[in-house]
């Protein structure tokens, strides 16, 4: 039965297209010839001019060169060239954008050095991710498989006025293809390294003059490239399938409705932990604290994970209804979306297979949200305007489960205080002749969160054509956020241990000889609330174990923007802009009764957008921002505790930099591009245990860049041959006083997490004359460069077991596509 289900999923993508391809009467010779002619015309145009890219960065359809915002655009063809499955596969090629997809259910977006490090549902990301205009609030829904994507726009700098809350650092806007009036079908197969198997099918079917249906489905699987030395299990495997259907109904000459449904499902292993601390033979313990000078080479280290029920899963469903209607010269848009998803991510946190060092976590989320936006747009004389209102409602549930053993808790007590209390208890029981033990049992602690969030907004944006060359833009958004959040932490769960401790004889003996120290065998260590005793909650209680603590708060904000753009010539525009971004206040999911206020960013930008004739385009901008109240979480060991905890820290940051984009077509068929960002990001204020970090770098590298070339060779009746080479560079991370402790800057004999990174991708593919058939070959990470992405110290300061993740090795593959 299981095999049958897998086969059905694996053939779903192919059957979508094959069913359409079998439709009788569609393969007429005249239509084939007409398509060949159109394909030849398109190729002729492509080799003579650089494509004009249409974007919706200002919530209006405009040419990229007319938009006074720094925007990087990734087209569908670029996604194909990079053999990209999700945003994490392309971020290296968009300078200024970093997307961590090591754990797809806990993805992290960073633009111009700004991101949200907190993975809890009590806070929001600093980078807004939008799919067809709908906001993806949580990281669990922010990294989806690419499915029939038309383009991706990366808007750098705060987009508070146009895109709203939680786009303080910028926004990523993903646009999918809409149902069209022409029949279209496509079937694609990608096979590659580590048994990569990706199947995708698409059909666009005009049902009649007013209805059109577009359906896309894909299945993506790959074996892991990391192998457990003991079990032989492979890690970092991929297992994802997704489907999307959109129905367009032209209700009347002025009215259109598009109803879409999206499903995305992941069921794979969680990321592995590559231990880098040398381990002596049991029962010997690793050195504590660990010494980076003794760390192992992670590229050669043996991987040994023992997490119970290792898995990472997500199931997402979303329905969206878009209605557009023209009231004369005024266009009305209604955007309605309902989303529901659930995720789990249980992963190893110690990088060993030793019971006395065991620790793992499981992040579980359930989320449902509703979004409604009404928007009016029009043009009257010299004014092009847009105005509207939106409402967002979300209910989120999260469980942060931690799993250990009484043996590993015993190790924590040994390292923290030199008191192996479980060993001591067993010695006492042995001397008393009692055949019982406190070791060898499971230990679980949980933090359970629940939140209800509402956001209401009013916005307006007006472009005034002051004269033939000067445009002035004024925008303003008012937002009000209201949040209610709850924490619930119960006693640690160890039923087998409790069965031993609650035995009257055992309890009497241990109480007699251990005294108050016996209480530690019942205590929480991961979620220790003793330091918060007496702190008041809004629901009439104080912080304590087993009692739900609730807080409610609200925040409001005005986010303005002002832009002046001036056309020096028909092909060159300069612009100046001021924009404010806003991220709502919130709560730290693992720090009970905590709350923090809004984050605000003020951004100034000046730029040039120019077309250097039909064969070259140069865009350059300089920016400066001040980010006040930025929230981040840091792993620290609170005073009086032996276990590190994630605590909220606040900082004020500042940065200035330059963005550059160059596209050149020096010869017919040859396209060159180069993008780069320089940024100097530092703290204005950040108080830590190490003192104020004012003036120190935030960690963002000074330089990131990408460059590439593509060449198309027209072979006449034999079709065409395309070759592409793309290289990405991310500079060396800049360290500060606390970077070493957090693992982002650390000198070891074998690796440096802050070192510069390079990646080169190449692709070669052939298309026949009418572009129906395509055969391609690609290599990602051609020179097999691998890097450590940071040292995870979650168990380093308790068990002496730091671990790392490393980037993927070189991978190659072939793909075959048939398009009707």
């Amino acid at each position: 039965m299981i095999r049958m289900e897998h086969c059905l999923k694996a053939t779903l993508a192919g059957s979508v297209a094959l069913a359409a391809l079998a439709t009788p009467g569609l393969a007429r010779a005249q239509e084939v010839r007409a398509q060949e002619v159109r394909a030849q015309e398109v190729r002729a145009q492509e080799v003579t001019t650089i494509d004009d890219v249409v974007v919706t960065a200002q919530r209006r359809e405009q040419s990229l060169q007319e938009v006074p915002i720094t925007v990087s655009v990734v087209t569908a063809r670029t996604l194909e060239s990079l053999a990209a499955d999700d945003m994490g596969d392309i971020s290296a090629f968009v300078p200024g954008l970093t997307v961590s997809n090591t754990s797809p259910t806990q993805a992290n977006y960073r633009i111009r050095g700004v991101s949200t490090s907190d993975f809890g549902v009590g806070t929001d990301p600093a980078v807004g991710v939008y799919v067809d205009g709908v906001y993806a609030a949580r990281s669990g829904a922010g990294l989806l498989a690419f499915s029939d994507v038309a383009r991706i726009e990366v808007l750098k700098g705060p987009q508070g006025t146009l895109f709203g809350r939680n786009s303080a650092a910028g926004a990523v806007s993903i646009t999918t293809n809409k149902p069209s009036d022409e029949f279209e079908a496509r079937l694609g197969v990608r096979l590659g390294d580590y048994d990569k198997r990706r199947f995708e099918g698409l059909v666009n079917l005009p049902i009649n003059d007013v209805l059109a249906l577009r359906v896309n489905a894909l299945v993506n699987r790959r074996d892991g490239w990391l192998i457990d030395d003991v079990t032989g299990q492979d890690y970092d495997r991929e297992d994802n399938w997704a489907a999307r259907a959109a129905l367009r109904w032209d209700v009347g000459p002025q009215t259109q409705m598009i109803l879409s449904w999206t499903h995305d499902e992941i069921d794979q292993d969680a990321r592995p932990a590559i231990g880098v601390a040398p381990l002596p033979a049991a029962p010997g313990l690793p050195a504590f604290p660990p010494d980076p000078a003794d760390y192992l080479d992670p590229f050669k280290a043996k991987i040994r994970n023992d997490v119970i029920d290792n898995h990472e899963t997500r199931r997402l469903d979303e329905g969206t209804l878009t209605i557009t209607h023209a009231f004369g010269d005024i266009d009305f848009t209604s955007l309605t979306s309902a989303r529901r998803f659930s995720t789990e991510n249980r992963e190893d946190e110690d990088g060993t297979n030793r019971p006395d060092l065991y620790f793992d976590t499981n992040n579980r989320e359930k989320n449902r949200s509703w979004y409604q936006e009404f928007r009016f747009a029009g043009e009257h004389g010299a004014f092009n305007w847009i105005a509207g209102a939106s409402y967002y409602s979300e209910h989120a549930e999260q469980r942060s489960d931690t799993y250990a053993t009484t043996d590993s808790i015993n190790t924590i007590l040994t390292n923290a205080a030199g008191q192996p209390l479980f060993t001591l208890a067993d010695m006492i029981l042995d001397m008393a002749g009692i055949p019982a033990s406190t070791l060898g049992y499971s230990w679980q602690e949980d933090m359970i969160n629940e939140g209800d969030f509402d956001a209401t907004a009013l916005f307006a944006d007006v472009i005034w054509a002051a004269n033939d060359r000067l445009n002035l833009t004024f925008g303003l958004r008012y937002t009000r956020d209201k949040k209610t959040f709850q924490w619930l932490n119960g006693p640690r769960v160890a039923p087998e241990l409790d069965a031993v401790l609650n035995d009257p004889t055992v309890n009497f003996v241990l109480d007699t000889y251990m005294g108050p120290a016996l209480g530690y065998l019942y205590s929480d260590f991961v979620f220790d609330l003793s330091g918060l005793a007496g702190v008041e909650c809004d629901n009439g209680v104080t912080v304590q174990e087993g009692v739900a603590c609730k807080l409610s708060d609200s925040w409001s904000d005005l986010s303005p923007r002002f832009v002046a753009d001036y056309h020096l010539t028909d092909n060159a525009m300069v612009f100046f802009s001021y924009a404010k971004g806003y991220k709502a206040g919130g709560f730290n999911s693992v720090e009970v009764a905590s709350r923090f206020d809004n984050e605000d960013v003020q951004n100034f930008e000046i730029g040039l957008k120019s077309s250097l004739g039909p064969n070259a385009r140069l865009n350059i901008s300089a920016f400066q921002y001040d980010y006040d109240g930025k929230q981040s979480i840091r792993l620290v060991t609170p005073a009086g505790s032996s276990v590190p905890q994630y605590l909220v820290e606040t900082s004020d940051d500042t940065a200035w930099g330059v963005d550059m984009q160059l596209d050149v077509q020096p010869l017919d068929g040859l396209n060159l591009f180069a993008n780069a960002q320089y940024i100097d990001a530092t703290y204005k204020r950040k108080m830590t245990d190490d003192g104020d970090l004012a003036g120190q770098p935030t960690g963002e590298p000074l330089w990131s860049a990408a460059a590439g070339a593509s060449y198309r060779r027209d072979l006449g009746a034999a079709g065409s041959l395309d070759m592409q080479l793309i290289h990405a560079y991310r500079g060396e991370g800049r360290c500060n006083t606390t970077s070493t402790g957090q693992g982002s800057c650390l000198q070891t004999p074998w690796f440096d997490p802050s070192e510069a990174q390079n990646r080169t991708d190449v692709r070669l593919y052939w298309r026949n004359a009418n572009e129906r058939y395509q055969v391609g070959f690609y290599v990602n990470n051609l020179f097999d460069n691998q890097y450590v992405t940071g040292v995870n110290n979650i168990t380093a300061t308790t068990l002496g077991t730091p671990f790392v993740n490393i980037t993927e090795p070189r991978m190659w593959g072939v793909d075959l596509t048939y398009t009707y």
Side-chain angles (χ1 to χ4, degrees):
M1 187 67 182
I2 294 176
R3 290 184 178 179
M4 181 178 294
E5 180 182 355
H6 286 175
C7 290
L8 288 172
K9 290 180 180 179
T11 58
L12 175 60
S15 64
V16 169
L18 289 175
L21 297 178
T23 304
L26 293 175
R28 296 189 300 269
Q30 296 90 337
E31 176 62 20
V32 171
R33 178 56 186 162
Q35 289 185 356
E36 291 176 354
V37 171
R38 287 196 296 269
Q40 291 171 359
E41 291 174 347
V42 169
R43 289 200 301 272
Q45 183 180 11
E46 286 177 345
V47 298
T48 56
T49 62
I50 293 180
D51 291 339
D52 181 28
V53 180
V54 175
V55 297
T56 54
Q58 296 193 115
R59 308 301 292 268
R60 312 157 171 92
E61 288 193 352
Q62 296 173 286
S63 167
L64 174 65
Q65 294 304 98
E66 297 293 322
V67 175
I69 298 174
T70 302
V71 184
S72 294
V73 180
V74 181
T75 64
R77 178 154 291 187
T78 302
L79 296 179
E80 179 185 56
S81 300
L82 295 173
D85 293 319
D86 57 46
M87 283 296 301
D89 295 330
I90 68 169
S91 65
F93 302 98
V94 182
L97 171 68
T98 303
V99 181
S100 170
N101 64 342
T102 304
S103 296
T105 63
Q106 293 176 260
N108 180 275
Y109 285 77
R110 176 189 297 264
I111 292 180
R112 289 181 173 173
V114 177
S115 68
T116 297
S117 56
D118 192 348
F119 52 82
V121 298
T123 187
D124 297 293
V127 176
V129 179
Y130 300 82
V131 181
D132 292 330
V134 178
Y135 174 55
R138 297 290 155 216
S139 60
L143 190 74
L144 304 180
F146 287 144
S147 179
D148 198 24
V149 171
R151 68 179 181 279
I152 299 169
E153 301 172 29
V154 180
L155 287 66
K156 300 178 183 179
Q159 306 298 321
T161 302
L162 292 169
F163 283 85
R165 59 198 292 273
N166 306 329
S167 55
V172 176
S173 178
I174 301 172
T175 302
T176 63
N177 291 305
K178 305 300 185 290
S180 67
D181 291 327
E182 293 186 4
F183 177 82
E184 180 184 353
R186 184 171 67 249
L187 175 63
V189 179
R190 181 178 298 158
L191 306 173
D193 228 357
Y194 301 99
D195 200 21
K196 172 83 169 184
R197 296 148 289 158
R198 188 179 190 274
F199 306 92
E200 183 172 11
L202 162 73
V203 58
N204 186 94
L205 182 64
I207 300 173
N208 54 38
D209 292 341
V210 297
L211 289 174
L213 176 67
R214 191 177 185 92
V215 180
N216 174 263
L218 66 87
V219 176
N220 179 45
R221 293 195 174 102
R222 191 201 67 198
D223 293 343
W225 56 276
L226 293 166
I227 306 298
D228 191 286
D229 185 61
V230 176
T231 66
Q233 179 183 354
D234 56 331
Y235 295 126
D236 199 46
R237 66 184 180 93
E238 296 176 349
D239 192 346
N240 176 216
W241 76 276
R244 184 175 184 276
L247 177 67
R248 193 199 77 209
W249 177 24
D250 296 331
V251 182
Q254 308 298 324
T255 307
Q256 184 182 89
M257 297 174 57
I258 297 179
L259 177 64
S260 66
W261 166 80
T262 300
H263 176 85
D264 190 280
E265 191 164 328
I266 289 176
D267 184 5
Q268 60 190 44
D269 293 331
R271 65 105 181 98
I274 304 175
V276 292
L279 293 181
L285 297 175
F288 186 85
D291 186 352
D294 297 328
Y295 281 0
L296 304 174
D297 182 352
F299 303 104
K300 297 180 180 179
K302 295 180 179 180
I303 302 173
R304 295 169 179 170
N305 285 190
D306 58 357
V307 56
I308 299 171
D309 192 22
N310 179 317
H311 66 276
E312 183 166 16
T313 62
R314 174 180 64 212
R315 182 184 177 91
L316 177 144
D317 288 282
E318 179 180 10
T320 303
L321 175 63
T322 304
I323 302 174
T324 57
H325 179 77
F327 294 97
D329 294 332
I330 299 177
D331 295 326
F332 166 75
T333 301
S334 170
L335 183 61
T336 308
S337 173
R339 175 189 288 126
R340 181 187 295 267
F341 73 85
S342 59
T343 70
E344 287 200 22
N345 182 30
R346 184 164 183 177
E347 57 192 18
D348 193 282
E349 302 287 6
D350 60 274
T352 76
N353 63 344
R354 294 258 303 260
D356 57 344
L357 300 173
Y358 186 93
F359 190 73
D360 79 71
T361 61
N362 188 16
N363 181 69
R364 294 191 274 173
E365 289 186 42
K366 289 185 178 180
N367 181 285
R368 63 177 185 269
S369 62
W370 173 271
Y371 180 74
Q372 177 64 60
E373 179 179 310
F374 297 115
R375 188 168 67 241
F376 296 88
E379 194 165 355
H380 183 74
F383 296 94
N384 183 306
W385 58 273
I386 183 171
S390 67
Y391 173 74
Y392 177 79
S393 177
E394 177 187 4
H395 177 79
E397 300 175 15
Q398 182 179 37
R399 286 183 61 105
S400 298
D401 300 327
T402 63
Y403 301 89
T405 64
T406 53
D407 305 70
S408 57
I409 297 297
N410 191 55
T411 301
I412 291 173
L413 293 171
T414 301
N415 289 335
Q419 298 291 330
L421 295 182
F422 289 86
T423 300
L424 177 61
D426 278 12
M427 291 175 58
I428 293 172
L429 294 176
D430 183 63
M431 288 187 295
I434 300 175
S437 174
T438 61
L439 294 171
Y441 302 124
S442 63
W443 180 288
Q444 179 179 344
E445 296 183 34
D446 312 295
M447 180 68 72
I448 303 172
N449 303 120
E450 188 171 344
D452 289 290
F453 317 123
D454 296 282
T456 306
L458 300 172
F459 59 92
D461 193 75
V462 180
I463 302 174
W464 173 37
N467 56 46
D468 291 343
R469 294 190 178 275
L470 176 64
N471 295 316
L472 300 176
T473 303
F474 305 89
L476 185 66
R477 178 183 291 257
Y478 170 78
T479 307
R480 179 171 176 81
D481 280 279
K482 183 178 180 180
K483 296 185 177 183
T484 298
F485 198 72
Q486 173 181 295
W487 297 261
L488 176 60
N489 168 237
R492 62 101 180 100
V493 179
E496 297 167 311
L497 173 64
D498 287 342
V500 174
L501 297 178
N502 294 335
D503 179 272
T505 303
V506 170
N507 189 269
F508 174 78
V509 171
L510 293 181
D511 184 53
T512 299
Y513 291 96
M514 293 184 67
L518 177 60
Y520 284 102
L521 276 61
Y522 293 91
S523 300
D524 279 19
F525 291 95
V526 180
F527 298 117
D528 180 10
L529 304 185
S530 59
L532 299 171
V535 174
E536 294 185 355
C537 307
D538 289 349
N539 55 325
V541 301
T542 58
V543 175
Q544 54 188 299
E545 237 178 35
V547 176
C549 173
K550 290 185 179 181
L551 293 183
S552 296
D553 212 336
S554 61
W555 303 266
S556 59
D557 175 78
L558 283 173
S559 294
R561 84 167 182 139
F562 168 77
V563 184
D565 64 82
Y566 183 79
H567 286 259
L568 301 171
T569 68
D570 290 342
N571 297 315
M573 177 186 75
V574 293
F575 68 89
F576 166 81
S577 70
Y578 160 76
K580 180 188 175 185
Y582 157 69
K583 177 185 162 185
F587 314 92
N588 179 3
S589 297
V590 294
E591 188 180 353
V592 181
S594 66
R595 73 177 92 202
F596 49 84
D597 290 327
N598 297 346
E599 300 178 22
D600 297 312
V601 58
Q602 315 279 342
N603 187 82
F604 296 89
E605 198 145 347
I606 185 171
L608 166 70
K609 291 199 170 185
S610 61
S611 297
L612 310 177
N615 299 324
R617 182 166 56 212
L618 172 65
N619 297 335
I620 184 169
S621 61
F623 62 88
Q624 190 274 330
Y625 69 73
D626 291 309
Y627 202 121
D628 295 330
K630 189 179 79 171
Q631 307 296 325
S632 60
I633 59 171
R634 187 162 69 98
L635 198 63
V636 299
T637 303
S641 174
S642 60
V643 178
Q645 298 177 8
Y646 285 108
L647 300 180
V648 171
E649 293 183 333
T650 303
S651 68
D652 295 334
D653 302 356
T654 187
W656 69 272
V658 180
D659 269 292
M660 296 160 280
Q661 302 176 12
L662 175 65
D663 295 280
V664 181
Q665 191 177 73
L667 301 170
D668 283 352
L670 177 62
N671 289 275
L672 308 175
F673 84 91
N675 300 331
Q677 176 188 268
Y678 174 87
I679 184 171
D680 181 10
T682 58
Y683 292 113
K684 291 193 299 182
R685 179 192 62 83
K686 183 171 185 179
M687 299 303 301
T688 71
D689 295 338
D690 301 309
D692 191 354
L693 302 186
Q696 297 190 36
T698 63
E700 190 71 8
L702 291 173
W703 282 100
S704 57
S710 64
Y711 178 69
R712 167 171 287 192
R713 178 70 174 176
D714 196 330
L715 305 176
S720 63
L721 193 64
D722 286 74
M723 294 161 280
Q724 297 190 358
L725 173 69
I726 305 177
H727 181 79
Y729 168 80
R730 179 174 171 82
E732 182 180 3
R734 304 171 67 200
C735 301
N736 57 55
T737 305
T738 63
S739 298
T740 299
Q742 294 302 297
S744 56
C745 287
L746 193 69
Q747 296 295 324
T748 77
W750 304 108
F751 64 90
D752 177 4
S754 63
E755 70 176 314
Q757 299 185 11
N758 290 275
R759 172 176 160 174
T760 304
D761 287 8
V762 296
R763 182 173 176 84
L764 173 69
Y765 52 98
W766 168 85
R767 294 188 180 98
N768 74 330
N770 64 4
E771 299 195 357
R772 283 184 181 275
Y773 299 95
Q774 175 181 307
V775 180
F777 173 76
Y778 68 90
V779 182
N780 292 339
N781 191 14
L782 176 65
F783 298 106
D784 201 22
N785 294 320
Q786 288 186 269
Y787 304 94
V788 170
T789 57
V791 180
N792 194 315
N793 286 324
I794 188 172
T795 56
T797 54
T798 53
L799 298 171
T801 53
F803 62 90
V804 303
N805 304 122
I806 58 179
T807 59
E808 293 180 348
R810 175 175 53 236
M811 293 190 181
W812 61 270
V814 297
D815 51 31
L816 303 93
T817 305
Y818 178 77
T819 303
Y820 187 89

